[in-house]
Amino acid sequence: MQIEFLGATREVTGSCFLLRIGKYQLLVDCGLIQGSHRHERHNHDPFLFDPEAIDAVVLTHAHLDHSGRLPLLIKRGYSGQIYTHRATVDLCAIMLEDAGYLNEKEVQWENRKRERKGLELIEPLYTRLEAREAHRHFRSVEYGKAEEILPGITLTMHDAGHILGSAIAELRLTDGQQTRNVVFSGDLGHRGAPILRDPEAVKRADLVIMESTYGDRLHRSWDKTWQEMGEIISNARSGKGNIMIPAFAVGRTQELLYVFKRYFVEWGIDDWEVFLDSPMAIEATEVYSNHAKIYDRRAKKVYEQSGDPFMLPNLHRTQRSDDSMKINRIKSGAIIIAGSGMCTGGRIKHHFKHNLWREDAHVLIVGFQARGTLGRALVDGAKHIRLWGETIRVKAQIHTIGGLSAHADQQGLLNWYGHFENRPPVVLVHGEPESMDGLAQRLKSEYRADVVLAEFQQKLTL
């Protein structure tokens, strides 16, 4: 029995792990490599294994850095099943098709330039149709229910509390007389986050493959985070300029709507018109609404007492582009939630064009902004930005809300590992070098854990 690390090693994208158990080969996650154009070009590289030889795939959750190359895997010959939670099946139907659409648009743009230069045309990584076809391979697994997915290989999924349907994958592997219990943390959620349950504890393992995204830092408390957001929205009521919130379509958008409902009167949300201006976020919110069974206790109570926890009396869901354009006629009193989360595309840029230059407007930054993105430029205090060749002066107030994260911080990761009674060896993945190093030191000092920092294409015998 062997595991090979083929992604998310010393970085947080491209999760992909290959297990060989006797005559069977099992893949855990098959994610997109994200970042610079130079890094993303590697998504087109051949897989470092034969897709036709893979017998089964386990998917921990729907985020594209874990799921985004699954249609490509099938395009290149994989014909088996993809085992994941039911909510992840539903979210992937939206997210992978959207990724296929973006692939098509990007290649159309690139091929126009290539055609003019007489260069060979290129194909998209995969298309919308190929993403839809990939969906036929998905098979749902419930939390806590052991399922034999291949002879001698049993999968049990536990709630990871990261996004809806996210899972810790516990694999019991048997080859002849040998049996090993390997636990993949997937992405572990931030304890106390709205809607979702806290990450479940697992008691025993022979090996733990563990994420380390925030392995070197602590998050701000939820109470202080909500207090800060409430103060900003309440203070903005006096000026009544529009509030723009760039938000990720899956996870962060639903958290915002849920919290707006929770503090509807206290924050004065009832004095605003709230617009959810993202077709993908609208679809994702419907998926969240359909899976109340896996909410945390508080969210379940909200659902039982007042129905859909994401529906506000003053919420407008704008699917069509012409409805989105009408929002730009509103000079004050609108809270606009739109993609993309890092302001690199989508409808938020159009709202910036009509509002950023207004002194009474506000921008709430509620998610991570990578270097080189428009969102990061605003966080760093840019006085002017460029949109479609036009220079826009930044006069709006920019607010960065601390404490909002879908990932466990260092203490959360340590607490989760602390539930293992036998203190199994750990391989750290899905983290930048500083995060991995910081978490490794704490695991060694507090639990005397045997810790390995995964390297690309490293192989470990189980």
Side-chain angles (χ1 to χ4, degrees), residues 147-259:
E147 183 165 338
E148 188 173 53
I149 59 175
L150 291 168
I153 300 174
T154 301
L155 168 67
T156 306
M157 287 191 151
H158 308 277
D159 196 337
H162 173 60
I163 62 169
L164 193 78
S166 59
I168 299 157
E170 181 180 1
L171 287 162
R172 187 169 179 81
L173 313 172
T174 301
D175 180 20
Q177 300 301 309
Q178 278 195 330
T179 297
R180 295 288 183 269
N181 212 49
V182 181
V183 173
F184 290 81
S185 74
D187 286 0
L188 294 170
H190 184 179
R191 188 175 179 83
I195 308 163
L196 305 176
R197 298 182 293 206
D198 294 335
E200 285 187 55
V202 183
K203 297 295 184 182
R204 298 191 67 83
D206 295 304
L207 181 67
V208 177
I209 315 300
M210 186 174 174
E211 72 118 318
S212 55
T213 312
Y214 290 119
D216 62 341
R217 70 198 77 174
L218 301 175
H219 296 321
R220 193 179 191 186
S221 74
W222 284 112
D223 285 344
K224 289 181 179 178
T225 298
W226 302 138
Q227 182 182 351
E228 180 186 17
M229 184 179 289
E231 287 173 355
I232 291 168
I233 294 173
S234 297
N235 291 338
R237 289 166 68 191
S238 56
K240 267 302 183 80
N242 295 329
I243 297 176
M244 295 162 286
I245 310 179
F248 299 109
V250 177
R252 190 51 38 82
T253 290
Q254 292 74 37
E255 283 182 353
L256 288 170
L257 292 174
Y258 177 83
V259 171

Side-chain angles (χ1 to χ4, degrees), residues 389-442:
E390 183 180 347
T391 299
I392 308 292
R393 184 177 60 165
V394 180
K395 296 295 285 183
Q397 298 178 54
I398 312 298
H399 310 274
T400 302
I401 307 295
L404 286 171
S405 177
H407 285 270
D409 63 5
Q410 185 187 71
Q411 194 58 52
L413 293 167
L414 290 168
N415 291 345
W416 181 77
Y417 176 81
H419 287 101
F420 286 98
E421 296 169 351
N422 62 325
R423 301 292 186 258
V426 184
V427 181
L428 294 183
V429 296
H430 203 285
E432 299 293 340
E434 300 82 6
S435 298
M436 295 176 77
D437 292 341
L439 183 58
Q441 289 173 10
R442 291 288 304 276

Side-chain angles (χ1 to χ4, degrees), residues 217-459:
R217 70 198 77 174
L218 301 175
H219 296 321
R220 193 179 191 186
S221 74
W222 284 112
D223 285 344
K224 289 181 179 178
T225 298
W226 302 138
Q227 182 182 351
E228 180 186 17
M229 184 179 289
E231 287 173 355
I232 291 168
I233 294 173
S234 297
N235 291 338
R237 289 166 68 191
S238 56
K240 267 302 183 80
N242 295 329
I243 297 176
M244 295 162 286
I245 310 179
F248 299 109
V250 177
R252 190 51 38 82
T253 290
Q254 292 74 37
E255 283 182 353
L256 288 170
L257 292 174
Y258 177 83
V259 171
F260 283 0
K261 184 165 187 169
R262 180 175 165 188
Y263 295 105
F264 191 70
V265 175
E266 185 178 336
W267 290 358
I269 302 294
D270 50 340
D271 280 349
W272 300 81
E273 293 300 315
V274 182
F275 294 88
L276 179 53
D277 191 29
S278 163
M280 189 162 114
I282 292 167
E283 289 185 75
T285 302
E286 289 173 0
V287 172
Y288 267 68
S289 298
N290 293 335
H291 287 276
K293 181 181 175 182
I294 55 174
Y295 294 171
D296 68 9
R297 191 179 304 166
R298 174 178 273 180
K300 275 184 181 176
K301 190 174 181 180
V302 171
Y303 182 84
E304 290 164 2
Q305 291 180 346
S306 56
D308 191 335
F310 314 109
M311 181 52 69
L312 309 172
N314 53 349
L315 176 66
H316 309 272
R317 303 185 184 198
T318 49
Q319 277 273 14
R320 300 185 309 169
S321 56
D322 54 346
D323 290 331
S324 175
M325 286 187 278
K326 289 176 184 175
I327 301 171
N328 291 321
R329 301 174 192 165
I330 301 172
K331 305 303 180 187
S332 66
I335 296 176
I336 306 160
I337 304 169
S340 68
M342 295 188 193
C343 315
T344 52
R347 295 179 178 179
I348 195 66
K349 293 173 73 175
H350 294 275
H351 299 304
F352 282 174
K353 181 180 177 180
H354 289 84
N355 289 276
L356 264 186
W357 48 271
R358 299 177 184 274
E359 291 186 355
D360 58 358
H362 300 259
V363 177
L364 264 63
I365 300 294
V366 295
F368 177 73
Q369 306 297 312
R371 287 189 183 91
T373 63
L374 174 55
R376 182 59 173 266
L378 293 173
V379 169
D380 289 343
K383 301 300 180 187
H384 297 85
I385 63 166
R386 295 278 291 176
L387 292 174
W388 303 288
E390 183 180 347
T391 299
I392 308 292
R393 184 177 60 165
V394 180
K395 296 295 285 183
Q397 298 178 54
I398 312 298
H399 310 274
T400 302
I401 307 295
L404 286 171
S405 177
H407 285 270
D409 63 5
Q410 185 187 71
Q411 194 58 52
L413 293 167
L414 290 168
N415 291 345
W416 181 77
Y417 176 81
H419 287 101
F420 286 98
E421 296 169 351
N422 62 325
R423 301 292 186 258
V426 184
V427 181
L428 294 183
V429 296
H430 203 285
E432 299 293 340
E434 300 82 6
S435 298
M436 295 176 77
D437 292 341
L439 183 58
Q441 289 173 10
R442 291 288 304 276
L443 285 167
K444 290 174 184 176
S445 64
E446 293 196 19
Y447 297 109
R448 297 182 180 177
D450 180 6
V451 183
V452 173
L453 309 183
E455 300 288 346
F456 185 60
Q457 287 191 270
Q458 181 178 5
K459 297 178 182 177

Side-chain angles (χ1 to χ4, degrees), residues 40-84:
E40 291 183 357
R41 280 201 297 269
H42 289 297
N43 288 311
H44 293 267
D45 294 346
F47 288 106
L48 295 171
F49 51 84
D50 179 5
E52 293 184 14
I54 300 298
D55 296 290
V57 175
V58 171
L59 174 62
T60 59
H61 65 285
H63 278 153
L64 292 179
D65 62 321
H66 293 256
S67 70
R69 281 197 293 169
L70 287 171
L72 182 65
L73 185 74
I74 291 160
K75 182 178 179 178
R76 292 184 177 173
Y78 176 64
S79 58
Q81 296 184 332
I82 299 163
Y83 295 92
T84 192

